[in-house]
Amino acid sequence: MVSRRPGEVALESLDTILAHEPVPDQDLFSKATHCLSVYRDSLIATYRPGPAPAEMRTRLEHVNAVISLLMAGHFPLGELPWGELHKARGWLENAIK
């Protein structure tokens, strides 16, 4: 069996959230946040010994932004940011390439 990379699992989790729009599934938000955190940790671990290239810092910034949006969806203070989550999906897709 081929193991999937953490970024691929995170993207799949976000796709599942978006497939349930407009009804938020809090368990899916939790799972996606966890998957993205694992992916973020793997990015950080890759470059912990030294400075990360600019491209990697950009990936990390995008992953952190997606995590922030997921948290906003998990604990909304108003309307869920569905439009922003759709944009974040593109950022994440680019980040895992």
Side-chain angles (χ1 to χ4, degrees), residues 75-88:
F75 301 104
L77 296 175
E79 293 289 319
L80 270 154
W82 290 109
E84 296 302 315
L85 285 169
H86 282 281
K87 288 179 196 173

Side-chain angles (χ1 to χ4, degrees), residues 3-72:
S3 161
R4 293 180 300 156
R5 297 180 315 170
E8 293 167 343
V9 176
L11 183 60
E12 181 180 291
S13 296
L14 185 54
D15 284 341
T16 304
I17 285 173
L18 294 172
H20 284 85
E21 183 183 351
V23 180
D25 182 323
Q26 295 306 320
D27 290 337
L28 292 175
F29 275 86
S30 293
K31 179 182 177 187
T33 302
H34 173 75
C35 291
L36 274 167
S37 296
V38 169
Y39 178 55
R40 179 185 59 195
D41 290 348
S42 73
L43 288 175
I44 292 168
T46 301
Y47 289 98
R48 187 161 302 275
E55 178 185 328
M56 187 58 67
R57 287 193 307 273
T58 300
R59 284 183 183 183
L60 188 56
E61 288 170 3
H62 285 173
V63 170
N64 283 332
V66 177
I67 289 172
S68 294
L69 283 168
L70 285 173
M71 295 304 291

